Amino acid sequence: MSKVYGDAEPTLSVSLTAGSLANVAVSDTLADVTGTLSRSVGNNVGAYDVLLGSGAHAFNYDITYNASNQAFSITPKTVSLSASKVYDGTIDLAGKVTLLTGVDGETLSYTGALANDAHVATTGKYIAAITLANGANGELASNYQLPATLDATTAPVTISARTLTATLANSSVSKVYDGTANPPAGFTPAWTFDGLLGGDSAATLTATAASFNNPNVALASSFTMSGLAIAGITGSNGSRASDYVLD
């Protein structure tokens, strides 16, 4: 007999291994002999003894029973895991794991949580390594276990793109009047960036359009680039364009 940690107690039972209870003249049941069964005290994972009660007709029988039987066990409960974070260039998941015990009022800590991949666009990411640790209120990690297999179903990881702010850094954009709002011939934009990780030094951007707000000298007061997209990231983190998103 067994139960999973935190579950309700099952109905205990014993059976005869030798002898008999009744003949044609006697109608005793096993419960008349054993009484109400119980088990040794304890709620943590481990083995426990099943104990006989005092049946109303127990005195009519010579009972041989091994009271140190450890016939009942409590097995670990499997936790539920997931993790999410904003891209930070690492597989570290410290402080990013949601760990549910499934037992009311009980929480656990953890150490050594790592994802199998660091990048936003990689599919099927999961918690590849994690160690359960005792909870802050005395909960025992030994009462729990990880899923048998850590994968994208049992321990999914979501990494969202890091926000990158790009500002056009060209000190001025000008041209001789040509009747259009097009950028100057050979114009190359220069950018400054806010939001790059340490180790990432620059981003390459593409744009679908660039123009002055008006083709006339007296009315042209601003220059705008639109349809911006990240084409690549330069740096030592191995960051990909998809690891960032423009605000």
Side-chain angles (χ1 to χ4, degrees):
M1 291 172 286
S2 67
K3 73 164 189 169
V4 174
Y5 175 76
D7 287 356
E9 290 286 317
T11 300
L12 301 175
S13 63
V14 294
S15 60
L16 290 175
T17 57
S20 63
L21 284 174
N23 54 37
V24 292
V26 181
S27 58
D28 291 342
T29 66
L30 188 57
D32 291 328
V33 178
T34 64
T36 301
L37 300 176
S38 62
R39 67 174 180 85
S40 52
V41 176
N43 293 313
N44 294 319
V45 167
Y48 297 87
D49 298 327
V50 175
L51 307 174
L52 296 182
S54 297
H57 297 170
F59 61 89
N60 290 321
Y61 296 88
D62 182 13
I63 301 171
T64 300
Y65 183 74
N66 177 18
S68 298
N69 50 69
Q70 298 205 322
F72 182 84
S73 62
I74 299 177
T75 59
K77 190 172 187 68
T78 301
V79 298
S80 298
L81 299 169
S82 63
S84 62
K85 68 173 182 174
V86 174
Y87 175 71
D88 63 5
T90 76
I91 59 173
D92 184 33
L93 294 175
K96 308 301 182 182
V97 175
T98 298
L99 196 163
L100 301 177
T101 65
V103 176
D104 287 345
E106 293 209 357
T107 59
L108 292 177
S109 300
Y110 65 89
T111 60
L114 300 173
N116 70 313
D117 190 273
H119 298 288
V120 171
T122 302
T123 60
K125 292 186 292 293
Y126 60 92
I127 302 169
I130 189 171
T131 299
L132 301 180
N134 293 342
N137 297 313
E139 298 92 341
L140 298 178
S142 56
N143 286 328
Y144 296 91
Q145 64 183 2
L146 296 170
T149 301
L150 293 175
D151 56 30
T153 299
T154 62
V157 170
T158 300
I159 300 177
S160 55
R162 189 176 189 86
T163 299
L164 184 65
T165 301
T167 303
L168 192 62
N170 298 74
S171 58
S172 64
V173 180
S174 63
K175 68 174 184 175
V176 175
Y177 174 74
D178 63 4
T180 74
N182 296 334
F187 170 73
T188 300
W191 301 98
T192 59
F193 298 101
D194 182 36
L196 286 171
L197 286 172
D200 287 342
S201 56
T204 301
L205 304 184
T206 59
T208 58
S211 66
F212 291 95
N213 63 318
N214 195 284
N216 299 303
V217 173
L219 299 176
S221 59
S222 64
F223 180 80
T224 303
M225 299 190 68
S226 58
L228 294 177
I230 302 171
I233 300 292
T234 301
S236 59
N237 294 320
S239 296
R240 302 170 183 171
S242 57
D243 292 328
Y244 287 87
V245 61
L246 292 170
D247 66 0

PDB file of all heavy atoms in Angstrom, residues 125-145:
ATOM      1  N   LYS A 125      12.492  25.127 -25.962  1.00  0.00           N
ATOM      2  CA  LYS A 125      13.403  25.369 -24.838  1.00  0.00           C
ATOM      3  C   LYS A 125      12.833  24.760 -23.558  1.00  0.00           C
ATOM      4  O   LYS A 125      11.609  24.711 -23.364  1.00  0.00           O
ATOM      5  CB  LYS A 125      13.637  26.872 -24.640  1.00  0.00           C
ATOM      6  CG  LYS A 125      14.428  27.525 -25.768  1.00  0.00           C
ATOM      7  CD  LYS A 125      14.765  28.959 -25.460  1.00  0.00           C
ATOM      8  CE  LYS A 125      13.574  29.872 -25.428  1.00  0.00           C
ATOM      9  NZ  LYS A 125      12.943  30.031 -26.756  1.00  0.00           N
ATOM     10  N   TYR A 126      13.732  24.332 -22.677  1.00  0.00           N
ATOM     11  CA  TYR A 126      13.283  23.721 -21.427  1.00  0.00           C
ATOM     12  C   TYR A 126      14.341  23.891 -20.337  1.00  0.00           C
ATOM     13  O   TYR A 126      15.493  24.256 -20.612  1.00  0.00           O
ATOM     14  CB  TYR A 126      12.967  22.230 -21.623  1.00  0.00           C
ATOM     15  CG  TYR A 126      14.132  21.398 -22.101  1.00  0.00           C
ATOM     16  CD1 TYR A 126      14.975  20.749 -21.203  1.00  0.00           C
ATOM     17  CD2 TYR A 126      14.386  21.249 -23.465  1.00  0.00           C
ATOM     18  CE1 TYR A 126      16.047  19.976 -21.645  1.00  0.00           C
ATOM     19  CE2 TYR A 126      15.451  20.488 -23.909  1.00  0.00           C
ATOM     20  CZ  TYR A 126      16.276  19.848 -22.992  1.00  0.00           C
ATOM     21  OH  TYR A 126      17.337  19.096 -23.436  1.00  0.00           O
ATOM     22  N   ILE A 127      13.931  23.638 -19.109  1.00  0.00           N
ATOM     23  CA  ILE A 127      14.856  23.657 -17.974  1.00  0.00           C
ATOM     24  C   ILE A 127      15.678  22.383 -18.041  1.00  0.00           C
ATOM     25  O   ILE A 127      15.165  21.288 -17.825  1.00  0.00           O
ATOM     26  CB  ILE A 127      14.095  23.741 -16.648  1.00  0.00           C
ATOM     27  CG1 ILE A 127      13.212  24.996 -16.604  1.00  0.00           C
ATOM     28  CG2 ILE A 127      15.057  23.740 -15.464  1.00  0.00           C
ATOM     29  CD1 ILE A 127      12.227  25.028 -15.439  1.00  0.00           C
ATOM     30  N   ALA A 128      16.950  22.527 -18.348  1.00  0.00           N
ATOM     31  CA  ALA A 128      17.797  21.354 -18.550  1.00  0.00           C
ATOM     32  C   ALA A 128      18.424  20.843 -17.258  1.00  0.00           C
ATOM     33  O   ALA A 128      18.814  19.678 -17.164  1.00  0.00           O
ATOM     34  CB  ALA A 128      18.901  21.684 -19.557  1.00  0.00           C
ATOM     35  N   ALA A 129      18.532  21.719 -16.271  1.00  0.00           N
ATOM     36  CA  ALA A 129      19.129  21.328 -14.990  1.00  0.00           C
ATOM     37  C   ALA A 129      18.496  22.150 -13.883  1.00  0.00           C
ATOM     38  O   ALA A 129      18.261  23.353 -14.041  1.00  0.00           O
ATOM     39  CB  ALA A 129      20.636  21.553 -15.001  1.00  0.00           C
ATOM     40  N   ILE A 130      18.194  21.509 -12.767  1.00  0.00           N
ATOM     41  CA  ILE A 130      17.662  22.185 -11.586  1.00  0.00           C
ATOM     42  C   ILE A 130      17.736  21.223 -10.414  1.00  0.00           C
ATOM     43  O   ILE A 130      17.592  20.006 -10.594  1.00  0.00           O
ATOM     44  CB  ILE A 130      16.210  22.665 -11.813  1.00  0.00           C
ATOM     45  CG1 ILE A 130      15.734  23.550 -10.663  1.00  0.00           C
ATOM     46  CG2 ILE A 130      15.263  21.495 -12.027  1.00  0.00           C
ATOM     47  CD1 ILE A 130      14.398  24.229 -10.913  1.00  0.00           C
ATOM     48  N   THR A 131      17.997  21.753  -9.229  1.00  0.00           N
ATOM     49  CA  THR A 131      18.022  20.943  -8.014  1.00  0.00           C
ATOM     50  C   THR A 131      17.005  21.510  -7.041  1.00  0.00           C
ATOM     51  O   THR A 131      17.015  22.710  -6.744  1.00  0.00           O
ATOM     52  CB  THR A 131      19.412  20.964  -7.359  1.00  0.00           C
ATOM     53  OG1 THR A 131      20.368  20.413  -8.274  1.00  0.00           O
ATOM     54  CG2 THR A 131      19.426  20.142  -6.075  1.00  0.00           C
ATOM     55  N   LEU A 132      16.097  20.670  -6.564  1.00  0.00           N
ATOM     56  CA  LEU A 132      15.107  21.102  -5.586  1.00  0.00           C
ATOM     57  C   LEU A 132      15.776  21.329  -4.237  1.00  0.00           C
ATOM     58  O   LEU A 132      16.686  20.592  -3.845  1.00  0.00           O
ATOM     59  CB  LEU A 132      14.002  20.057  -5.449  1.00  0.00           C
ATOM     60  CG  LEU A 132      13.215  19.728  -6.720  1.00  0.00           C
ATOM     61  CD1 LEU A 132      12.156  18.671  -6.423  1.00  0.00           C
ATOM     62  CD2 LEU A 132      12.574  20.970  -7.299  1.00  0.00           C
ATOM     63  N   ALA A 133      15.313  22.342  -3.518  1.00  0.00           N
ATOM     64  CA  ALA A 133      15.855  22.667  -2.196  1.00  0.00           C
ATOM     65  C   ALA A 133      14.703  22.905  -1.231  1.00  0.00           C
ATOM     66  O   ALA A 133      13.577  23.217  -1.636  1.00  0.00           O
ATOM     67  CB  ALA A 133      16.766  23.898  -2.274  1.00  0.00           C
ATOM     68  N   ASN A 134      14.986  22.744   0.067  1.00  0.00           N
ATOM     69  CA  ASN A 134      13.958  22.908   1.085  1.00  0.00           C
ATOM     70  C   ASN A 134      13.312  24.294   0.995  1.00  0.00           C
ATOM     71  O   ASN A 134      13.955  25.283   0.627  1.00  0.00           O
ATOM     72  CB  ASN A 134      14.542  22.715   2.480  1.00  0.00           C
ATOM     73  CG  ASN A 134      14.991  21.292   2.727  1.00  0.00           C
ATOM     74  OD1 ASN A 134      14.582  20.363   2.019  1.00  0.00           O
ATOM     75  ND2 ASN A 134      15.829  21.091   3.728  1.00  0.00           N
ATOM     76  N   GLY A 135      12.039  24.356   1.362  1.00  0.00           N
ATOM     77  CA  GLY A 135      11.322  25.620   1.344  1.00  0.00           C
ATOM     78  C   GLY A 135      11.647  26.488   2.546  1.00  0.00           C
ATOM     79  O   GLY A 135      12.209  26.027   3.556  1.00  0.00           O
ATOM     80  N   ALA A 136      11.237  27.736   2.464  1.00  0.00           N
ATOM     81  CA  ALA A 136      11.544  28.705   3.524  1.00  0.00           C
ATOM     82  C   ALA A 136      10.787  28.422   4.816  1.00  0.00           C
ATOM     83  O   ALA A 136      11.187  28.883   5.891  1.00  0.00           O
ATOM     84  CB  ALA A 136      11.228  30.119   3.029  1.00  0.00           C
ATOM     85  N   ASN A 137       9.698  27.675   4.737  1.00  0.00           N
ATOM     86  CA  ASN A 137       8.877  27.401   5.913  1.00  0.00           C
ATOM     87  C   ASN A 137       9.017  25.962   6.399  1.00  0.00           C
ATOM     88  O   ASN A 137       8.112  25.437   7.054  1.00  0.00           O
ATOM     89  CB  ASN A 137       7.413  27.710   5.605  1.00  0.00           C
ATOM     90  CG  ASN A 137       7.197  29.174   5.281  1.00  0.00           C
ATOM     91  OD1 ASN A 137       7.680  30.056   5.992  1.00  0.00           O
ATOM     92  ND2 ASN A 137       6.482  29.445   4.196  1.00  0.00           N
ATOM     93  N   GLY A 138      10.132  25.346   6.075  1.00  0.00           N
ATOM     94  CA  GLY A 138      10.393  23.995   6.559  1.00  0.00           C
ATOM     95  C   GLY A 138       9.959  22.886   5.634  1.00  0.00           C
ATOM     96  O   GLY A 138      10.085  21.702   5.984  1.00  0.00           O
ATOM     97  N   GLU A 139       9.452  23.220   4.445  1.00  0.00           N
ATOM     98  CA  GLU A 139       9.072  22.168   3.493  1.00  0.00           C
ATOM     99  C   GLU A 139      10.323  21.390   3.066  1.00  0.00           C
ATOM    100  O   GLU A 139      11.379  21.970   2.840  1.00  0.00           O
ATOM    101  CB  GLU A 139       8.410  22.792   2.262  1.00  0.00           C
ATOM    102  CG  GLU A 139       7.138  23.543   2.553  1.00  0.00           C
ATOM    103  CD  GLU A 139       7.348  25.028   2.813  1.00  0.00           C
ATOM    104  OE1 GLU A 139       8.499  25.417   3.117  1.00  0.00           O
ATOM    105  OE2 GLU A 139       6.375  25.786   2.711  1.00  0.00           O
ATOM    106  N   LEU A 140      10.193  20.086   2.965  1.00  0.00           N
ATOM    107  CA  LEU A 140      11.329  19.228   2.644  1.00  0.00           C
ATOM    108  C   LEU A 140      11.370  18.900   1.154  1.00  0.00           C
ATOM    109  O   LEU A 140      10.397  18.395   0.587  1.00  0.00           O
ATOM    110  CB  LEU A 140      11.256  17.924   3.442  1.00  0.00           C
ATOM    111  CG  LEU A 140      11.309  18.052   4.964  1.00  0.00           C
ATOM    112  CD1 LEU A 140      11.170  16.679   5.605  1.00  0.00           C
ATOM    113  CD2 LEU A 140      12.600  18.720   5.405  1.00  0.00           C
ATOM    114  N   ALA A 141      12.500  19.173   0.552  1.00  0.00           N
ATOM    115  CA  ALA A 141      12.675  18.832  -0.856  1.00  0.00           C
ATOM    116  C   ALA A 141      12.596  17.324  -1.074  1.00  0.00           C
ATOM    117  O   ALA A 141      12.202  16.868  -2.153  1.00  0.00           O
ATOM    118  CB  ALA A 141      14.011  19.362  -1.360  1.00  0.00           C
ATOM    119  N   SER A 142      12.937  16.552  -0.059  1.00  0.00           N
ATOM    120  CA  SER A 142      12.922  15.085  -0.190  1.00  0.00           C
ATOM    121  C   SER A 142      11.513  14.524  -0.353  1.00  0.00           C
ATOM    122  O   SER A 142      11.348  13.347  -0.710  1.00  0.00           O
ATOM    123  CB  SER A 142      13.596  14.440   1.020  1.00  0.00           C
ATOM    124  OG  SER A 142      12.972  14.855   2.229  1.00  0.00           O
ATOM    125  N   ASN A 143      10.501  15.337  -0.090  1.00  0.00           N
ATOM    126  CA  ASN A 143       9.126  14.890  -0.301  1.00  0.00           C
ATOM    127  C   ASN A 143       8.669  15.075  -1.748  1.00  0.00           C
ATOM    128  O   ASN A 143       7.526  14.736  -2.087  1.00  0.00           O
ATOM    129  CB  ASN A 143       8.173  15.649   0.625  1.00  0.00           C
ATOM    130  CG  ASN A 143       8.277  15.188   2.066  1.00  0.00           C
ATOM    131  OD1 ASN A 143       8.559  14.019   2.329  1.00  0.00           O
ATOM    132  ND2 ASN A 143       8.069  16.101   2.997  1.00  0.00           N
ATOM    133  N   TYR A 144       9.560  15.608  -2.574  1.00  0.00           N
ATOM    134  CA  TYR A 144       9.195  15.930  -3.948  1.00  0.00           C
ATOM    135  C   TYR A 144      10.240  15.373  -4.912  1.00  0.00           C
ATOM    136  O   TYR A 144      11.350  15.028  -4.535  1.00  0.00           O
ATOM    137  CB  TYR A 144       9.082  17.441  -4.122  1.00  0.00           C
ATOM    138  CG  TYR A 144       7.967  18.053  -3.305  1.00  0.00           C
ATOM    139  CD1 TYR A 144       8.197  18.516  -2.014  1.00  0.00           C
ATOM    140  CD2 TYR A 144       6.681  18.143  -3.816  1.00  0.00           C
ATOM    141  CE1 TYR A 144       7.170  19.066  -1.250  1.00  0.00           C
ATOM    142  CE2 TYR A 144       5.656  18.696  -3.076  1.00  0.00           C
ATOM    143  CZ  TYR A 144       5.900  19.152  -1.787  1.00  0.00           C
ATOM    144  OH  TYR A 144       4.891  19.689  -1.050  1.00  0.00           O
ATOM    145  N   GLN A 145       9.860  15.326  -6.161  1.00  0.00           N
ATOM    146  CA  GLN A 145      10.782  14.897  -7.202  1.00  0.00           C
ATOM    147  C   GLN A 145      10.510  15.683  -8.476  1.00  0.00           C
ATOM    148  O   GLN A 145       9.412  16.213  -8.685  1.00  0.00           O
ATOM    149  CB  GLN A 145      10.634  13.403  -7.480  1.00  0.00           C
ATOM    150  CG  GLN A 145       9.277  13.001  -8.029  1.00  0.00           C
ATOM    151  CD  GLN A 145       9.133  11.506  -8.217  1.00  0.00           C
ATOM    152  OE1 GLN A 145      10.029  10.732  -7.903  1.00  0.00           O
ATOM    153  NE2 GLN A 145       7.988  11.072  -8.743  1.00  0.00           N
TER     154      GLN A 145
END
